[in-house]
Amino acid sequence: MTLFSRPERFPLPIPAILIYNYLRLIGHKDLFAASVLSLAGLSALLQAFLLLWVALTISVIAPSGIVCLFLSGTSDKRPTRGLPAFVLLSSVIWAAFYTTAGYFGDSPTPLTWRYWATVVFMLFAIWTILGAIAWWSPNFMSAVPDSAPKAANWSPPPTNRKARVANRFRAIWAHRIWRCFCVTAAIFGAGLYAVFSIYVISAFAGSLHLPQHGWKASAVLFSIILFSFFPGAVYLKVRASNGSHGKALKVALVVTIALTYAALLNGFSAEPIALVAMKGMAVIDNAERTYEVVKADERPTYQALGYRPRATDRFVQAFIRFQFADVKLVCPNKYPFLDVPSSSVNKGRDTPDDSPSPVPPELRTSHADSEGCLVPTKDEIRTVDLPDGFSLQSHPPVAISPSRPAKHVGQSKRYTRHGRTKC
């Protein structure tokens, strides 16, 4: 039996807290008790949330992965002790670049060619600075060691042209400048890929309540770049201290988790990630669907609440605002679960009776909330897939001709046998 088949092994309070926060956000905490009774549903939600969280974290620290992939060395050849410090200094340089570019690029007007020319010039300057530091390699930041093969160990210069060209390529490969180029190229590529880390965080900036303009947004960019390079520097530090790849990976993973928990304790919210996980599991569905109102006496209620009918009042268009276990909450309008900040959505949602709504008060107290959302039962509505142009037509009863009486199914001719009539 695998781990994923045992829901009791999971910390199920985590998805329960996520569900409670979402129900509080939409003003339906009364559905929490009935929703958390499904252990299988909680386990599936926890797996989706953790997978999404891991994918988001890996996307942010991808520059560290590039640095570790090209600069971690082998079992026989370890990185220099000053390489982690060089990576941290490079992260500061890249953070300053992205902060400056983001601050001056934050303008409602289109960016001109002068801006992009300055960005390209700054990239060339970063390459030059990184290459110069790698070549210099001071004692506290020795990125490239001096133990390169010397030309004295080679054979005398040959006379033929082919051998001379081969020796020149061999000299370039063994020379220290080539190693400086490799280190600089790896860190420069990681810095360019850090744009993806900024893009990932920017996609959740509105829901995470992060500033998107001004110097505060620049400070967020600076922190993102430092965070994206820090696990890689820790990995190289362990490798430079004669640690194995497995030990270095464990230490870098612990540091990443510790930084994540520190962010959560300092106001970083996991709610947007949980909402995306719920959307992927169809707990939240902003796609408009067609429902058949099975009970005829409930159809006027759906009309009064603003549900758009389709064909007739028997079919209505609705959105799933929440469905988990046996609980389903349908609404006439979609919920901007990821586009609007939680503070503005949650404001006044716990007291829906105080918010203005066209829903009649008698329906609001007995059937629906202030936005017309209902909690139907299984036998009240059901999802249907109607084709385009569907319509219900009433057909009149077929008239029966008096010359040809109607026959019932299974009716047979009567016959007489020995004076007895049988059917």
Side-chain angles (χ1 to χ4, degrees), residues 237-252:
K237 181 64 177 178
V238 178
R239 287 286 296 144
S241 303
N242 296 327
S244 62
H245 287 282
K247 181 180 179 180
L249 183 61
K250 291 179 182 178
V251 174

Side-chain angles (χ1 to χ4, degrees), residues 61 63-65 67-68 84 87 227-237 252:
I61 64 172
S64 293
V67 170
C68 297
V87 172
F227 176 76
S228 62
F229 277 89
F230 189 76
V234 173
Y235 186 95
L236 295 178
K237 181 64 177 178

Side-chain angles (χ1 to χ4, degrees), residues 31-264:
L31 303 178
F32 175 74
S35 302
V36 297
L37 297 179
S38 175
L39 297 181
L42 292 176
S43 176
L45 178 59
L46 177 63
Q47 296 177 38
F49 173 75
L50 292 180
L51 288 176
L52 186 60
W53 186 279
V54 170
L56 179 63
T57 305
I58 292 177
S59 301
V60 175
I61 64 172
S64 293
I66 296 176
V67 170
C68 297
L69 180 64
F70 291 98
L71 302 180
S72 59
T74 60
S75 58
D76 300 331
K77 186 178 180 181
R78 302 183 183 275
T80 59
R81 294 185 178 273
L83 189 58
F86 180 59
V87 172
L88 291 179
L89 178 62
S90 303
S91 66
V92 174
I93 295 175
W94 279 110
F97 164 73
Y98 283 114
T99 300
T100 305
Y103 182 80
F104 288 99
D106 187 13
S107 176
T109 60
L111 301 177
T112 61
W113 65 270
R114 293 184 179 88
Y115 174 82
W116 295 112
T118 305
V119 169
V120 173
F121 174 77
M122 293 177 65
L123 290 176
F124 277 108
I126 291 175
W127 176 275
T128 305
I129 293 173
L130 294 179
I133 297 176
W135 175 264
W136 178 35
S137 292
N139 295 330
F140 64 94
M141 200 183 302
S142 178
V144 178
D146 294 330
S147 58
K150 297 183 179 180
N153 299 329
W154 298 345
S155 59
T159 56
N160 56 349
R161 181 178 178 180
K162 183 177 181 180
R164 287 198 304 268
V165 173
N167 278 354
R168 289 176 182 176
F169 277 104
R170 192 181 300 112
I172 294 175
W173 180 265
H175 204 273
R176 190 164 178 264
I177 192 174
W178 172 252
R179 306 179 68 178
C180 292
F181 175 81
C182 293
V183 172
T184 304
I187 297 180
F188 189 83
L192 290 179
Y193 197 81
V195 177
F196 185 71
S197 303
I198 298 175
Y199 172 77
V200 171
I201 298 298
S202 300
F204 294 89
S207 302
L208 294 175
H209 311 290
L210 297 177
Q212 303 182 28
H213 304 283
W215 66 270
K216 292 184 178 180
S218 300
V220 172
L221 287 179
F222 197 91
S223 303
I224 292 173
I225 300 302
L226 293 183
F227 176 76
S228 62
F229 277 89
F230 189 76
V234 173
Y235 186 95
L236 295 178
K237 181 64 177 178
V238 178
R239 287 286 296 144
S241 303
N242 296 327
S244 62
H245 287 282
K247 181 180 179 180
L249 183 61
K250 291 179 182 178
V251 174
L253 181 61
V254 170
V255 169
T256 304
I257 296 176
L259 292 176
T260 304
Y261 273 103
L264 291 174

Side-chain angles (χ1 to χ4, degrees), residues 347-407:
K347 185 177 181 181
R349 299 301 295 274
D350 290 335
T351 57
D353 295 334
D354 298 335
S355 57
S357 174
V359 179
E362 60 274 8
L363 293 178
R364 191 189 314 173
T365 55
S366 60
H367 295 86
D369 60 5
S370 60
E371 297 184 3
C373 299
L374 292 170
V375 184
T377 59
K378 293 182 178 180
D379 56 348
E380 183 177 338
I381 65 172
R382 59 185 177 184
T383 308
V384 294
D385 187 10
L386 299 180
D388 296 336
F390 175 82
S391 61
L392 289 177
Q393 299 179 358
S394 58
H395 299 281
V398 180
I400 301 177
S401 176
S403 60
R404 299 182 60 184
K407 295 182 179 181

